[in-house]
């Protein structure tokens, strides 16, 4: 993806004016190699209405955020546009969003998608909206993890308008919290993880401000790489 200077931000009520383009994929879905580190989740979450972003990426804390994006070509575009989930980083031609093919097409009026694709880049307005899922927040053991030696995790189905700013693991033998490192995107890691069930707490910024959320014994002692575990909590 080409790197370009970004336009100045202007506002219309709670919308921000910008530009959007799209990336091609054989199946119109997202990519499993997105910068957020979501893997297959990043391909299909939200019915594959996903996007890469530039300034909204926020060094990874913007991963999982939801936005309403609507294009400014009245004859081609619907009034509501499309709601997307951030799963990747990308910069285009003065754009804030690089949409999946499916998401880009869903901004168009019926039978107008091909004409919209012909634009390549379109003027848009966008706003942050709450993510809503019928699931609790899940903690997935990332594929880079090695049992007993190295633990990497990412959070899936992050609801509300929240951003996860920090993650800690409870070290029972030392009776203290250990900081996890943001490895990249939405992936947090820790060498030599504690034995036994693993309790996490994470600092989230959302509608209630900045708070710490506890997820007790969320990762079992016999955790498996690639498995997502129910945290029992959800963000707002």
């Amino acid at each position: 993806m080409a790197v370009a200077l970004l336009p100045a931000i202007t506002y219309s009520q709670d919308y921000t004016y910008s530009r959007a383009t799209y990336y091609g994929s054989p199946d119109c879905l997202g990519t499993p190699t997105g910068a957020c580190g979501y893997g297959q989740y990043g391909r299909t979450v939200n019915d594959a209405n996903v996007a890469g972003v530039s300034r909204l990426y926020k060094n990874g804390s913007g991963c999982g955020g939801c936005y309403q994006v609507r294009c400014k070509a009245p004859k081609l575009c619907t009034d509501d546009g499309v709601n997307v989930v951030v799963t990747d980083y990308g910069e285009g031609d003065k754009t804030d969003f690089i949409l999946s093919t499916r998401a880009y097409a869903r901004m168009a009026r019926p039978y107008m998608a091909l004409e919209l694709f012909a634009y390549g880049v379109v003027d848009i307005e966008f706003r942050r909206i709450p993510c809503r899922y019928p699931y609790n927040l899940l903690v997935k053991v990332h594929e880079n993890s090695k049992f007993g030696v190295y633990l990497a995790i990412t959070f899936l189905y992050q609801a509300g308008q929240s951003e996860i700013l920090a993650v800690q693991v409870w070290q029972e033998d030392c009776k203290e919290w250990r900081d996890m490192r943001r490895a990249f995107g939405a992936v947090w890691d820790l060498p030599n993880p504690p034995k036994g069930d693993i309790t996490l707490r994470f600092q989230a910024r959302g509608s209630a401000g900045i708070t710490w959320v506890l997820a007790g014994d969320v990762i079992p002692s016999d955790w498996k790489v690639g498995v997502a575990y129910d945290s029992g909590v959800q963000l707002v």
Side-chain angles (χ1 to χ4, degrees):
M1 296 175 182
V3 176
L5 294 176
L6 296 174
I9 296 178
T10 56
Y11 294 91
S12 169
Q13 297 178 355
D14 57 347
Y15 286 91
T16 301
Y17 288 121
S18 184
R19 282 154 59 88
T21 186
Y22 65 93
Y23 59 89
S25 63
D27 52 13
C28 302
L29 308 182
T31 171
T33 58
C36 290
Y38 287 137
Q40 290 297 319
Y41 169 89
R43 276 173 48 78
T44 59
V45 65
N46 193 38
D47 197 24
N49 292 304
V50 297
V53 294
S54 49
R55 80 184 87 193
L56 301 172
Y57 184 73
K58 303 176 185 176
N59 196 36
S61 67
C63 290
C66 292
Y67 293 86
Q68 180 187 13
V69 182
R70 55 191 193 185
C71 61
K72 302 297 289 179
K75 293 182 180 180
L76 296 180
C77 302
T78 65
D79 293 336
D80 293 332
V82 64
N83 296 340
V84 298
V85 178
V86 173
T87 60
D88 201 358
Y89 175 89
E91 296 183 9
D93 180 10
K94 298 180 181 178
T95 63
D96 273 308
F97 289 86
I98 301 181
L99 303 172
S100 67
T101 308
R102 179 172 297 191
Y104 193 89
R106 289 187 175 174
M107 291 193 297
R109 294 184 183 277
Y111 311 111
M112 294 292 186
L114 289 179
E115 293 186 47
L116 189 61
F117 280 120
Y119 273 65
V121 179
V122 293
D123 293 329
I124 62 161
E125 59 183 12
F126 70 90
R127 64 176 178 175
R128 184 76 186 269
I129 59 173
C131 300
R132 293 185 174 90
Y133 300 108
Y135 313 105
N136 288 330
L137 185 71
L138 300 184
V139 180
K140 180 188 175 185
V141 177
H142 194 270
E143 286 75 8
N144 290 346
S145 300
K146 295 182 180 179
F147 185 78
V149 177
Y150 171 76
L151 174 64
I153 63 171
T154 189
F155 296 93
L156 310 181
Y157 300 112
Q158 185 175 320
Q161 297 191 43
S162 59
E163 297 176 357
I164 293 177
L165 307 177
V167 183
Q168 295 180 332
V169 171
W170 178 248
Q171 187 80 37
E172 177 62 28
D173 52 355
C174 301
K175 304 297 183 184
E176 66 179 14
W177 290 100
R178 291 175 60 190
D179 290 329
M180 299 191 80
R181 176 185 69 123
R182 187 188 292 276
F184 65 94
V187 179
W188 300 82
D189 69 356
L190 182 75
N192 303 313
K195 295 180 174 58
D197 295 344
I198 295 177
T199 289
L200 301 175
R201 71 174 183 180
F202 49 93
Q203 188 183 58
R205 178 169 53 208
S207 59
I210 297 177
T211 57
W212 283 96
V213 180
L214 182 69
D217 296 338
V218 60
I219 302 176
S221 59
D222 59 346
W223 53 263
K224 302 291 191 301
V225 171
V227 176
Y229 300 99
D230 190 335
S231 71
V233 298
Q234 187 52 279
L235 302 178
V236 294

